[in-house]
Amino acid sequence: MLTDLLKPELVACHVEASDWEEAIRACGKLLVDAGKCDQSYVDAMISSVHKFGPYMVLEEGIAMPHAQADGNVSEAGICIVTLDPAVAFGHEDFDPVHVLVGICAPDPKAHLGCLAELSQMFEDEDCIAKLSACDTPEQVLETMRSFF
């Protein structure tokens, strides 16, 4: 399911971001450009961090930007952004972030299958290093397929 949603145009490697907001904007741009959501969804992802803190930093080095859809998501989407250099999100235990996995879904339950697959992927201790080492979207997709 996860690799079915992820296409090369939804992957960006070695993105430079000055801070976590710029990192989330880079992630959101991929989803917007692919027609998965509109800009207000990206703004909501950023607002969520301002409101709730860096809750979307899930493990060491990885964050999953997302927000509650409010009519601004047209279809389920997932994107991957690797950051170079890594960016601090303000998480006490898991900063800095090297990889962003952006998700959007028209309803809260639509992405649960993807979350289960992502948790399987994160069981590999070298997951972040492997994804960060990729230079092309195709390499990221190939690496992700190797986890399943």
Side-chain angles (χ1 to χ4, degrees), residues 75-133:
E75 64 181 287
I78 185 166
C79 66
I80 303 285
V81 172
T82 64
L83 299 171
D84 191 11
V87 172
F89 271 63
H91 196 284
E92 189 173 303
D93 299 318
F94 299 141
D95 268 346
V97 170
H98 297 271
V99 177
L100 297 170
V101 179
I103 60 171
C104 65
D107 67 80
K109 295 181 181 174
H111 65 285
L112 295 179
C114 285
L115 294 179
E117 287 186 13
L118 285 170
S119 67
Q120 177 185 341
M121 191 174 88
F122 300 145
E123 289 177 14
D124 183 323
E125 290 179 6
D126 298 323
C127 172
I128 303 306
K130 289 176 181 177
L131 290 172
S132 295

Side-chain angles (χ1 to χ4, degrees), residues 1-132:
M1 175 198 275
L2 181 63
T3 52
D4 295 334
L5 289 176
L6 196 57
K7 306 293 180 210
E9 61 271 13
L10 288 162
V11 179
C13 300
H14 305 295
V15 171
E16 285 187 46
S18 60
D19 59 20
W20 64 265
E21 283 192 33
E22 191 174 334
I24 291 175
R25 287 191 194 287
C27 200
K29 183 176 182 344
L30 293 173
L31 294 169
V32 170
D33 289 351
K36 306 294 183 184
C37 63
D38 65 31
Q39 184 60 42
S40 69
Y41 182 79
V42 179
D43 297 338
M45 289 194 289
I46 292 168
S47 293
S48 291
V49 178
H50 283 292
K51 184 174 183 178
F52 302 114
Y55 72 97
M56 61 182 55
V57 181
L58 305 178
E59 294 278 337
E60 188 171 331
I62 191 151
M64 187 181 309
H66 62 282
Q68 188 168 0
D70 187 20
N72 48 10
V73 176
S74 54
E75 64 181 287
I78 185 166
C79 66
I80 303 285
V81 172
T82 64
L83 299 171
D84 191 11
V87 172
F89 271 63
H91 196 284
E92 189 173 303
D93 299 318
F94 299 141
D95 268 346
V97 170
H98 297 271
V99 177
L100 297 170
V101 179
I103 60 171
C104 65
D107 67 80
K109 295 181 181 174
H111 65 285
L112 295 179
C114 285
L115 294 179
E117 287 186 13
L118 285 170
S119 67
Q120 177 185 341
M121 191 174 88
F122 300 145
E123 289 177 14
D124 183 323
E125 290 179 6
D126 298 323
C127 172
I128 303 306
K130 289 176 181 177
L131 290 172
S132 295

Side-chain angles (χ1 to χ4, degrees), residues 3 120-121 124 126-127 130-131 134 139-148:
T3 52
Q120 177 185 341
M121 191 174 88
D124 183 323
D126 298 323
C127 172
K130 289 176 181 177
L131 290 172
C134 295
Q139 288 176 341
V140 169
L141 295 175
E142 184 178 317
T143 299
M144 289 190 69
R145 282 188 211 102
S146 75
F147 295 120
F148 305 109

